[in-house]
Structures are given as structure tokens and as C-alpha cells.
Amino acid sequence: MTGLIIKMITCPLLIYIFDLLSPYVRYDSLYQVIIVGLVLAIVGHVTELSFLDRGAFWVNNALDFTITFFIVYFSQFILYNSFVTYGAAMSIALILSVLEALLHLYLIRSGKTKKGDY
């Protein structure tokens, strides 16, 4: 559960920061940023539950990067009046993957990768 709580804060916050600072990421309203961030958090948590273990650290990080890229990039086609370039989606996915890797290291080292400890 620790990973989900951290993700539910960091994912929307990262999307919001990119929306404010980058001309290549535009969401029409704050609820769109929150929706994309929460979808990223929930999907990331599900992949952690499914794949994260001591032997699957890099596989999970690569999967998180790929999923994050696709969710962010294709959100522009689902959410009204939003715009995300290919490069911006790649940048968001890269930064979020680094943050996810740090979170995964924390979860693995603290022993919270067992299914009942999330």
C-alpha cells in the first residue's frame, strides 16, 4: 500500500509540473491532469503487484517506462483539448521511471514486495 500512496501523489504532481512548465504538454483543466496521474498510479501499482520481486527489478522498470509513455501520449486523444508531443511523453516517462526505480529499490530493500505487504 505504501507504493500506491506514493504514486498517487507523485504521478499527478509530475504531470502537473510538466503541464505548467512545458509548452509541449497541455491539458485543458486540472481534472485531466489528476485523471492521467491517477491512471498512471493505479496501473503502476498493478504492475508492481504482478511483477516486482528481487529478480524482476529491471523488467518492471522497463514495463513501467513503456506503459507510462503510452498512457501519457495517448491521453491527448482521449481527453478533450489536450496536447502532448512524442518527446514530452518520452520525457515524462523517463523521469517517472527514475522515480519508480527509486521507489522499487525502497520496496525491495524494505521487504515490502510480498503480496500482503503492499
Side-chain angles (χ1 to χ4, degrees):
M1 191 56 83
T2 306
L4 179 62
I5 293 169
I6 292 171
K7 286 174 191 272
M8 291 183 93
I9 295 168
T10 58
C11 290
L13 185 63
L14 180 68
I15 301 293
Y16 182 68
I17 290 170
F18 263 87
D19 185 40
L20 286 177
L21 300 178
S22 175
Y24 305 110
V25 178
R26 285 290 170 243
Y27 288 102
D28 194 35
S29 63
L30 185 61
Y31 83 89
Q32 292 177 337
V33 171
I34 293 171
I35 287 172
V36 173
L38 291 179
V39 167
L40 287 173
I42 292 169
V43 170
H45 184 67
V46 169
T47 59
E48 277 181 9
L49 289 175
S50 302
F51 297 107
L52 187 60
D53 203 7
R54 287 196 184 274
F57 175 76
W58 291 109
V59 171
N60 197 356
N61 288 335
L63 188 62
D64 276 339
F65 175 81
T66 305
I67 290 172
T68 300
F69 170 76
F70 282 113
I71 289 174
V72 171
Y73 185 71
F74 288 109
S75 69
Q76 69 178 326
F77 301 117
I78 297 169
L79 299 172
Y80 177 73
N81 214 13
S82 61
F83 171 74
V84 180
T85 64
Y86 184 83
M90 192 72 78
S91 298
I92 291 171
L94 182 65
I95 291 172
L96 195 59
S97 294
V98 170
L99 295 175
E100 291 275 338
L102 295 173
L103 177 63
H104 293 163
L105 284 175
Y106 164 73
L107 292 173
I108 289 172
R109 289 182 180 159
S110 65
K112 294 185 178 187
T113 58
K114 297 175 191 70
K115 300 301 181 206
D117 292 339
Y118 279 98

